Amino acid sequence: SHASMSFFNILLLEHWGFQHSANAKTVKAEDLTVDLYPTVDEYDDEDLIETGIPMKEDPSSSSNNSFAKFYSALKPNIVVKHFEWMSTYGITGVFHMRFMEGLQDDKVRDWKTTVLRNVKRAAEITGRTFSVSYNIAGHTIDNTVLDDIKIDWMRLVDEENITQSDRYIRQGREEEEGRLLLPVLRIYGIGFKDVRVSDTSGMAELIDWFQNKAEEKYRVFLIGGVPSKWRTLVGDSREESSWKDIYDSLDGIHPWHVGRWRTIEHFDDYYSDTILPDAEYCNGKGILYI
């Protein structure tokens, strides 16, 4: 049976399948711009890439004079380990982020699709769930991405059989013929002021295609990754009134709340002023609010 699930009492993460440099030996400490260096102790050594960055000596360690190592989601066992951790700590599954930037390049698309295959396999091995999430942010992306998404989704359905996995997330939607259980697809970047996709007619056509016009095997329960101020059309949201129709046409709304509060007190205000009214609005429209 498919991973039929309601979006209640579950915990999903985003999975960003980045690829680390194949020339890791040339990487220097000053080249890194990361907040934290992750522990890699639980990965198999053959799945790691050693850099030229010496690790600080640890008096309690027997492996001093070692070098920092990178991991890559291109390695199937690395992704399985991520999903094993999710199983251990009660995390249901992931939205796997599929960045549209660069996807027209065959080599880029191949490695991104390899990571998605690894996600699918890991979910099936560990009993976790997964769903594709397109990301349409990026300085090289424009309105043409709307057609590119269709092409890529048909490729994933036909060639990768992505929605045939019994771990792919599905959600019910009411139709005239009854309640349909559909694969969940999220598109992050809809309506953001700083995202270059501004064509509301093209966006409306894409949403209608996914919900109604596409062949049945390509249809989805469509969730929009939208700005935090989507409902009021201010702040990080585009302000043209036509975006209200776009937001209202989605099956689900998933606002970007990251960085919108800094303290517990501020969160309480944000919840009262933004999240609660958002949820009430969606409930009245029959839209899933995440």
Side-chain angles (χ1 to χ4, degrees):
S1 63
H2 283 285
S4 165
M5 60 187 299
S6 128
F7 279 88
F8 294 100
N9 298 319
I10 66 169
L11 180 60
L12 295 175
L13 299 180
E14 285 187 358
H15 186 268
W16 295 32
F18 289 130
Q19 173 186 218
H20 290 299
S21 171
N23 300 316
K25 283 286 188 183
T26 66
V27 176
K28 300 177 182 178
E30 54 266 30
D31 296 326
L32 301 181
T33 55
V34 295
D35 296 319
L36 296 170
Y37 175 75
T39 179
V40 294
D41 297 350
E42 292 188 51
Y43 297 124
D44 293 334
D45 203 54
E46 60 265 26
D47 289 324
L48 298 172
I49 305 169
E50 189 172 276
T51 71
I53 304 172
M55 296 292 286
K56 184 180 293 186
E57 289 192 8
D58 178 358
S60 65
S61 173
S62 60
S63 59
N64 287 328
N65 302 317
S66 62
F67 293 89
K69 296 178 180 180
F70 288 165
Y71 68 85
S72 169
L74 279 174
K75 302 281 189 176
N77 290 341
I78 294 289
V79 182
V80 169
K81 179 58 67 177
H82 294 165
F83 276 69
E84 287 175 349
W85 288 336
M86 286 189 277
S87 179
T88 298
Y89 295 104
I91 297 169
T92 313
V94 299
F95 281 119
H96 173 68
M97 193 71 83
R98 190 166 174 85
F99 291 85
M100 289 303 297
E101 192 159 43
L103 206 67
Q104 296 75 24
D105 182 288
D106 288 346
K107 289 184 178 180
V108 173
R109 184 173 64 251
D110 285 348
W111 78 253
K112 289 184 178 183
T113 302
T114 297
V115 175
L116 179 56
R117 290 181 194 130
N118 291 343
V119 166
K120 175 175 177 285
R121 174 177 174 270
E124 291 168 351
I125 289 173
T126 61
R128 301 301 88 194
T129 60
F130 75 103
S131 179
V132 171
S133 176
Y134 285 113
N135 187 318
I136 60 173
H139 71 280
T140 67
I141 290 179
D142 57 24
N143 291 319
T144 60
V145 75
L146 301 175
D147 287 328
D148 294 338
I149 285 178
K150 282 187 194 177
I151 295 168
D152 189 68
W153 179 248
M154 289 189 285
R155 183 185 294 117
L156 293 184
V157 171
D158 293 337
E159 298 177 15
E160 300 299 326
N161 298 314
I162 203 73
T163 57
Q164 294 305 304
S165 172
D166 65 356
R167 305 315 301 161
Y168 196 93
I169 301 171
R170 304 175 84 87
Q171 177 77 8
R173 183 174 68 209
E174 296 296 336
E175 300 281 355
E176 289 183 2
E177 58 269 35
R179 187 171 178 81
L180 297 181
L181 199 60
L182 297 165
V184 169
L185 179 67
R186 187 180 69 164
I187 301 177
Y188 171 82
I190 295 175
F192 281 81
K193 192 175 289 183
D194 59 358
V195 171
R196 298 176 61 204
V197 182
S198 59
D199 179 9
T200 50
S201 295
M203 183 65 74
E205 191 276 332
L206 178 66
I207 293 170
D208 188 45
W209 184 82
F210 272 121
Q211 293 175 334
N212 306 300
K213 299 291 178 58
E215 288 183 51
E216 186 173 342
K217 62 180 177 177
Y218 302 129
R219 294 183 194 176
V220 301
F221 184 95
L222 189 61
I223 296 173
V226 302
S228 62
K229 299 296 184 182
W230 64 275
R231 179 175 47 85
T232 51
L233 301 178
V234 296
D236 52 355
S237 173
R238 289 183 176 272
E239 298 174 4
E240 298 86 351
S241 60
S242 53
W243 283 99
K244 181 180 185 302
D245 294 331
I246 297 297
Y247 298 140
D248 286 354
S249 68
L250 294 163
D251 296 310
I253 288 284
H254 188 188
W256 181 254
H257 294 310
V258 175
R260 299 303 186 257
W261 65 87
R262 294 185 180 275
T263 66
I264 295 298
E265 292 76 15
H266 189 190
F267 170 76
D268 290 339
D269 293 337
Y270 186 82
Y271 179 84
S272 299
D273 297 340
T274 301
I275 295 178
L276 188 58
D278 279 0
E280 291 173 345
Y281 179 89
C282 286
N283 187 54
K285 294 281 186 178
I287 300 171
L288 176 70
Y289 183 76
I290 301 176

